[in-house]
Amino acid sequence: MADNHGNTPAAWTAVGVAMLGFLVGGIALMLTPVNMVLFWIGIALGVVSFPLFLVMARLGFHTEHH
């Protein structure tokens, strides 16, 4: 585990993608009628953010030197 408390490009990218997923899903739920395709795209973005973090961490973007 890194000593940088998540202040790395890998962490910021994963959080950004997850937040985008929540935003897309939330907007989809506010539409009338609810847009389920857009909602599931938001869910997919949220789920993809964790594997994205793991891949970026393996590539070396989870260090304080970037």
Side-chain angles (χ1 to χ4, degrees), residues 27-64:
I27 289 172
L29 290 175
M30 289 188 289
L31 296 176
T32 304
V34 173
N35 189 338
M36 290 306 288
V37 173
L38 198 58
F39 173 73
W40 285 109
I41 290 171
I43 294 291
L45 283 170
V47 170
V48 164
S49 66
F50 184 64
L52 176 66
F53 168 76
L54 293 176
V55 168
M56 288 186 72
R58 286 276 186 178
L59 291 173
F61 289 103
H62 192 56
T63 63
E64 60 188 49

Side-chain angles (χ1 to χ4, degrees), residues 5-36:
H5 302 288
N7 194 14
T8 63
W12 279 102
T13 303
V15 168
V17 171
M19 289 181 68
L20 179 66
F22 277 101
L23 179 68
V24 169
I27 289 172
L29 290 175
M30 289 188 289
L31 296 176
T32 304
V34 173
N35 189 338
M36 290 306 288

